[in-house]
Amino acid sequence: MNRWKVQLWGWGLSGLVVATPVWAHGGEDHDHEAPAPVLSQPVQPRAVAQSDDFELVAVLGASELTVYLDRADSNEPVSGAHIEIESDGFKAEGVAQGEGVYGMPAGALAHPGRHALTITVESDAGADLLDAALVVPQAASGTSGTSNGVWHRTPTWAKLTALGVIVVGLVAGGRMRRQPREEAQA
């Protein structure tokens, strides 16, 4: 086989290996609609509860739980309420921070996991007992970030095949280069 044919085969196989991740695969709908917007900041963990009288949203910050309380029928903020939240040994009372906004230390709720919340609300509009769940995800590890690139989605067998083809191409190319030198020396 001529030297140029071996090199052509090597380049052809290398091109196939490089193009392997581009081949069609499942999960593509090709709908040409605009992709959903990507959030520039992570969404803070939150819990939502609703009754006939109240709507409540609790948002977990770094060290504080902020509670937003509205009337269910009018979406009007509820000021002057007494809010108490309990969960597995955690108990805190809300301190008014604004119209319908209450804050309290997060305490044990800041730890990763699912926290079942029992929320007591007392105001001029009435009193209610609400249930909610606050799910706090695991903190990000010390990596520089996750990548959704093609290399990370490519199966291991395809990576090993690519490596094998590249090695075979390099070895074959090296042998073809040495062959004319060996003939010249003989």
Side-chain angles (χ1 to χ4, degrees), residues 158-181:
K159 293 175 187 175
L160 292 174
T161 302
L163 181 62
V165 168
I166 291 170
V167 168
V168 167
L170 291 173
V171 169
R175 281 191 168 181
M176 291 306 294
R177 288 185 188 153
R178 277 191 233 137
Q179 197 172 29
R181 288 183 198 159

Side-chain angles (χ1 to χ4, degrees), residues 17-123:
V17 170
V18 171
T20 299
V22 180
W23 289 349
H25 53 278
E28 292 186 12
D29 55 4
H30 300 282
D31 60 359
H32 302 294
E33 290 183 18
V38 177
L39 296 174
S40 61
Q41 296 179 357
V43 176
Q44 294 174 314
R46 57 193 66 224
V48 178
Q50 185 174 0
S51 70
D52 292 337
D53 297 326
F54 301 108
E55 291 178 335
L56 181 139
V57 177
V59 180
L60 181 64
S63 61
E64 184 175 71
L65 186 68
T66 304
V67 177
Y68 301 92
L69 182 64
D70 295 331
R71 296 188 195 283
D73 57 352
S74 65
N75 209 26
E76 176 186 343
V78 177
S79 297
H82 177 262
I83 298 177
E84 187 175 282
I85 296 183
E86 296 181 44
S87 175
D88 296 330
F90 169 82
K91 186 174 184 178
E93 291 185 16
V95 177
Q97 294 181 337
E99 200 171 321
V101 181
Y102 302 86
M104 62 188 69
L109 297 179
H111 298 299
R114 186 177 192 281
H115 305 283
L117 305 178
T118 302
I119 306 161
T120 305
V121 178
E122 295 175 1
S123 76

